[in-house]
Amino acid sequence: MTNQNMVISDAKSSLAMATAVAMSESNLYSPAMPKPLVAANGYFARKKLIKKVETNGGGGARINAFIDSMRASSPTCRASETEDQKSWIIHHPSALSMFEDIMKASKGKEIVVFLDYDGTLSPIVEDPDQAFMTEEMREAVRDVAKFFPTAIVSGRCRAKVYDFVKLSELYYAGSHGMDIQRPTRGRKKQRKGKQSVFCQPAREFLPMIDEVHKILLEKIKLIPGARVENNKFCLSVHFRCVDEKIWGELGEQVREVINDYPKLRLSQGRKVLEIRPAIKWDKGSALEFLLESLGYDNSNNVLPVYIGDDRTDEDAFKVLRKRGQGLGILVSKAPKETKASYSLQEPSEVMYFLKRLVEWKKSSLIGH
């Protein structure tokens, strides 16, 4: 394994190839297709943005481009979208209303559960440090983990998301999957004496991430409501509490910093700018790694269920589509372009889905 300093236990070396430096953005689109400012995968097409700014004569165009991109990353549902939502729900039906059909499809398969945290297990809140899950949700996740291998896959720092969830029987993949820890107790497949942290494909970037964190703190300290969160292997710049009139200024400040670090890339989530190492590793890579670690890499007898609400979760939904197995469930009240097959509207529905999953498993065991 070259240059990525990945620490892996009990995983096949073939997946290490996925940590190669990401392909240039020019390969993501055919010559006939114009590159958007924000690509379908959520990343800024940096060269295109700079060219557009030069063509239009400077600052005004640049700011407008960022505002448009930031708005696009956090769509809201308006009354005029009612018909669109009806159409969208036909193609992405509720996982609750389709629960029986989903369970029929799982017959003879081992279910593995993957869960995002913010917006999936907890509500989206203005202060990221206050994104607490309810005790009822925690109990639902605990019960799911009793019957199925269960992982939390989050953009948050692994230690931080663990502090929120507080369940040691889960797998945790923090920093968008760049920091993965196996359960410290509760799983039968856990072997004694093995390292808890067993996948960190971006370790060499830690000094750079810390350096950029300090620069950003100084750079945006005068922008009211802006907040920089250090998630160890990536950084999050939250603008949920920033006046929309100065979103462009914030985006410009962040972009100016990242331009000096070509080994980092800038992407967007729900009212957050994400700064990550430019390696080919994301939540989809983490999903594949965990399935491989569990012995399901080439298995037809597994049904991965991934539930998430953010653009970064699309990487996992794409992997499920590519594998031709598993269920992607998007948590959203508003219609969004997604590779997920099903939908749930909010964390309370996620909790109810998890409870039904446990009830179904208990009933199936009694039946046998």
Side-chain angles (χ1 to χ4, degrees):
M1 198 172 306
T2 60
N3 299 327
Q4 298 302 327
N5 295 328
M6 185 184 294
V7 179
I8 302 177
S9 301
D10 297 334
K12 299 176 183 176
S13 60
S14 61
L15 193 60
M17 297 300 292
T19 61
V21 175
M23 297 172 61
S24 67
E25 290 172 339
S26 61
N27 293 329
L28 293 174
Y29 300 90
S30 67
M33 294 178 62
K35 293 181 185 178
L37 291 176
V38 177
N41 61 1
Y43 298 118
F44 284 100
R46 184 178 298 173
K47 293 181 180 178
K48 183 71 174 181
L49 176 59
I50 294 173
K51 183 177 180 181
K52 180 178 178 68
V53 170
E54 291 173 347
T55 301
N56 287 280
R62 181 187 296 125
I63 291 174
N64 289 337
F66 270 108
I67 291 175
D68 289 344
S69 299
M70 294 161 90
R71 283 173 178 162
S73 72
S74 304
T76 56
C77 185
R78 298 179 297 273
S80 60
E81 296 174 338
T82 302
E83 291 302 319
D84 288 340
Q85 185 157 10
K86 288 180 180 179
S87 175
W88 185 82
I89 205 69
I90 291 174
H91 298 286
H92 307 89
S94 167
L96 289 173
S97 64
M98 299 297 292
F99 185 83
E100 295 302 327
D101 290 334
I102 292 173
M103 291 302 100
K104 287 178 183 177
S106 72
K107 186 175 181 180
K109 300 181 184 297
E110 295 285 340
I111 294 175
V112 182
V113 178
F114 299 87
L115 302 165
D116 183 25
Y117 183 74
D118 293 275
T120 299
L121 299 182
S122 72
I124 296 293
V125 295
E126 291 187 354
D127 183 353
D129 290 339
Q130 300 300 311
F132 300 111
M133 66 192 303
T134 65
E135 284 300 324
E136 190 177 5
M137 178 68 87
R138 181 175 292 104
E139 190 63 30
V141 175
R142 180 186 288 114
D143 288 344
V144 166
K146 292 176 181 177
F147 297 100
F148 313 103
T150 302
I152 306 294
V153 187
S154 172
R156 297 266 198 166
C157 167
R158 175 176 54 81
K160 187 173 294 184
V161 78
Y162 179 86
D163 285 343
F164 278 128
V165 180
K166 294 183 172 65
L167 296 175
S168 57
E169 55 265 52
L170 310 181
Y171 290 84
Y172 287 89
S175 303
H176 298 289
M178 289 182 283
D179 189 8
I180 302 178
Q181 180 185 38
R182 59 163 46 92
T184 55
R185 69 176 180 85
R187 294 301 314 169
K188 293 180 179 179
K189 292 187 178 182
Q190 172 73 12
R191 298 180 182 178
K192 293 182 179 180
K194 294 294 182 179
Q195 300 178 63
S196 292
V197 177
F198 70 123
C199 180
Q200 292 182 333
R203 293 177 71 197
E204 69 179 81
F205 291 89
L206 285 174
M208 186 182 298
I209 292 293
D210 287 338
E211 180 178 318
V212 173
H213 178 236
K214 293 176 183 177
I215 295 173
L216 282 173
L217 285 174
E218 184 66 24
K219 193 83 170 177
I220 70 170
K221 67 181 181 181
L222 297 180
I223 298 181
R227 179 168 183 167
V228 183
E229 184 178 14
N230 190 338
N231 290 311
K232 189 171 182 177
F233 292 98
C234 59
L235 300 171
S236 298
V237 181
H238 299 276
F239 58 92
R240 184 167 298 279
C241 296
V242 176
D243 189 325
E244 189 171 337
K245 294 178 182 178
I246 56 175
W247 281 8
E249 179 185 346
L250 172 63
E252 176 66 6
Q253 295 282 357
V254 174
R255 189 186 68 85
E256 285 182 358
V257 173
I258 301 308
N259 278 347
D260 293 332
Y261 294 87
K263 291 186 178 182
L264 299 178
R265 62 184 181 182
L266 182 63
S267 64
Q268 288 183 301
R270 293 176 63 179
K271 294 190 178 178
V272 63
L273 298 174
E274 303 278 8
I275 298 156
R276 295 190 251 171
I279 62 172
K280 193 167 182 173
W281 193 274
D282 50 39
K283 289 185 176 183
S285 308
L287 183 151
E288 290 186 300
F289 176 85
L290 286 166
L291 287 176
E292 183 174 348
S293 300
L294 289 164
Y296 294 126
D297 51 327
N298 294 313
S299 174
N300 293 321
N301 297 321
V302 62
L303 185 76
V305 176
Y306 189 106
I307 308 177
D309 76 306
D310 203 282
R311 178 174 286 174
T312 57
D313 297 307
E314 291 296 324
D315 295 316
F317 297 151
K318 290 174 186 176
V319 166
L320 296 182
R321 290 271 186 176
K322 184 178 179 181
R323 290 174 66 96
Q325 62 180 174
L327 305 172
I329 302 175
L330 177 69
V331 184
S332 177
K333 289 184 176 181
K336 293 181 182 179
E337 184 177 348
T338 182
K339 294 296 183 181
S341 301
Y342 298 92
S343 64
L344 293 168
Q345 290 205 3
E346 55 192 1
S348 62
E349 288 197 354
V350 174
M351 182 177 67
Y352 187 42
F353 179 86
L354 297 178
K355 288 184 175 183
R356 287 193 65 179
L357 189 60
V358 170
E359 292 171 0
W360 170 84
K361 183 62 176 180
K362 289 178 177 179
S363 297
S364 65
L365 293 175
I366 292 174
H368 287 83

